[in-house]
Amino acid sequence: MISTEWGAPKALVDGFDPAHFKEGHYGTCIHVWDWTSHRKLQTIDLGEDGAIPLEVRFLHEPSATEGYVGCALRGSVFRFYKTPKGDWAAEKVLSVPNKKVEGWMLPEMPSLITDILISLDDRFLYFSNWLHGDVRQYDISDRRNPRLVGQVFLGGSILSDGPIRVLEDPENQPQPRPRIIQGKRIYGSPQMLQLSLDGLRLYVTTSLYSGWDKQFYPDMLREGSVMMQIDVDSVNGGLSLNENFLVDFGKEPDGPALAHELRYPGGDCTSDIWL
């Protein structure tokens, strides 16, 4: 089993303070465990590029001894793998560059990778950039060299009509327009992901954690979160929003509500638990 480190509850409960990372309240390590004896076998420090490792995904192939972990603060994805010697190692395989901005809490905005997912055929890796506002699809046929094949913006912190201006973007992308589905403006940003078993529909919710939602997307607390659906090209790669699908949790009877996790009742791409 591989486990990750987010941070100390006392540091993260009310939002993100960059000083807390420098003070050691957020993690940079992944840990390897023996599932039968419950013993920790190894700790792998990913360094600053691996700050705040969150979601771990093994390849689905039962004999595979490798997978990926998304690291939020530096917008990085690391591949972990078992070596011929029998221990474990990790290497950074991709990163989303920070954007230089004005009107935000820091002069540079990380993408903040919060969820990652691997398709059941182990061909595509997906992840959400909760601050930048996009979902990305990578071809991981070459496990050490992921290749970007799909991207769609669904909200985020750098919208073209918002208070934050992007001064410099290494990827040279324009600031996205607000996303409006069925007359409703989407507040918040893509966060948790779930992929249909056939790999054709990617579902997305927008809430990360209420303390962080309040800090970065206060309008979402008033309006509620949503669930959206992305149509996936599982042959050549590519992502496009399904404009006919929207679940509005702002209209819940006891709402507005902040929706987070998505699950299929009989097993899904993120749990690998089949009933």
Side-chain angles (χ1 to χ4, degrees):
M1 183 179 77
I2 305 287
S3 66
T4 61
E5 302 177 335
W6 182 359
K10 65 179 180 180
L12 62 86
V13 66
D14 292 321
F16 178 66
D17 182 345
H20 287 158
F21 175 69
K22 296 179 180 178
E23 294 167 1
H25 295 307
Y26 287 93
T28 62
C29 296
I30 60 175
H31 306 277
V32 184
W33 302 80
D34 185 312
W35 189 241
T36 55
S37 67
H38 301 172
R39 245 180 350 107
K40 186 170 76 170
L41 302 178
Q42 190 178 345
T43 293
I44 302 172
D45 192 339
L46 305 176
E48 286 207 4
D49 277 353
I52 312 184
L54 295 179
E55 303 289 349
V56 169
R57 305 291 180 227
F58 274 93
L59 296 181
H60 299 286
E61 164 57 46
S63 64
T65 53
E66 62 181 313
Y68 299 89
V69 54
C71 303
L73 192 58
R74 295 290 189 267
S76 300
V77 174
F78 279 71
R79 169 182 170 261
F80 58 85
Y81 57 96
K82 196 171 187 178
T83 74
K85 296 188 299 181
D87 61 350
W88 293 77
E91 60 181 354
K92 187 174 76 170
V93 292
L94 68 87
S95 61
V96 178
N98 291 353
K99 300 179 189 292
K100 291 186 178 180
V101 297
E102 66 176 9
W104 197 58
M105 61 186 292
L106 295 170
E108 292 193 8
M109 181 187 291
S111 70
L112 209 78
I113 295 175
T114 50
D115 195 19
I116 69 171
L117 179 151
I118 298 174
S119 60
L120 274 181
D121 61 4
D122 289 338
R123 185 180 168 197
F124 294 112
L125 170 74
Y126 301 86
F127 62 76
S128 53
N129 290 313
W130 194 65
L131 288 179
H132 290 178
D134 59 315
V135 175
R136 300 192 180 202
Q137 176 192 28
Y138 285 80
D139 187 320
I140 54 170
S141 300
D142 181 346
R143 306 297 188 209
R144 302 185 67 184
N145 295 287
R147 180 171 59 89
L148 180 64
V149 293
Q151 181 182 25
V152 61
F153 279 88
L154 301 173
S157 295
I158 54 169
L159 296 175
S160 57
D161 68 345
I164 298 169
R165 189 161 72 95
V166 176
L167 304 178
E168 184 177 326
D169 180 1
E171 296 182 320
N172 293 318
Q173 295 182 328
Q175 292 187 234
R177 291 177 297 177
R179 182 64 76 172
I180 298 174
I181 307 175
Q182 299 178 12
K184 179 181 175 67
R185 179 174 175 140
I186 304 305
Y187 294 98
S189 186
Q191 208 285 101
M192 295 305 289
L193 307 173
Q194 190 56 261
L195 185 67
S196 61
L197 302 186
D198 60 7
L200 298 180
R201 296 171 305 284
L202 184 66
Y203 295 91
V204 186
T205 55
T206 50
S207 171
L208 172 58
Y209 182 78
S210 58
W212 292 42
D213 293 348
K214 181 178 180 180
Q215 178 182 7
F216 293 107
Y217 298 113
D219 288 335
M220 184 169 59
L221 272 74
R222 183 187 71 249
E223 297 288 335
S225 66
V226 299
M227 179 166 61
M228 298 170 279
Q229 181 197 309
I230 299 169
D231 292 327
V232 178
D233 183 338
S234 62
V235 177
N236 302 308
L239 302 175
S240 60
L241 177 67
N242 181 350
E243 302 278 357
N244 297 315
F245 182 99
L246 180 70
V247 179
D248 183 358
F249 293 96
K251 295 181 178 180
E252 288 293 303
D254 296 318
L258 298 173
H260 184 78
E261 189 66 89
L262 306 98
R263 292 291 184 204
Y264 279 98
D268 52 53
C269 291
T270 52
S271 66
D272 274 350
I273 297 172
W274 306 102
L275 302 176

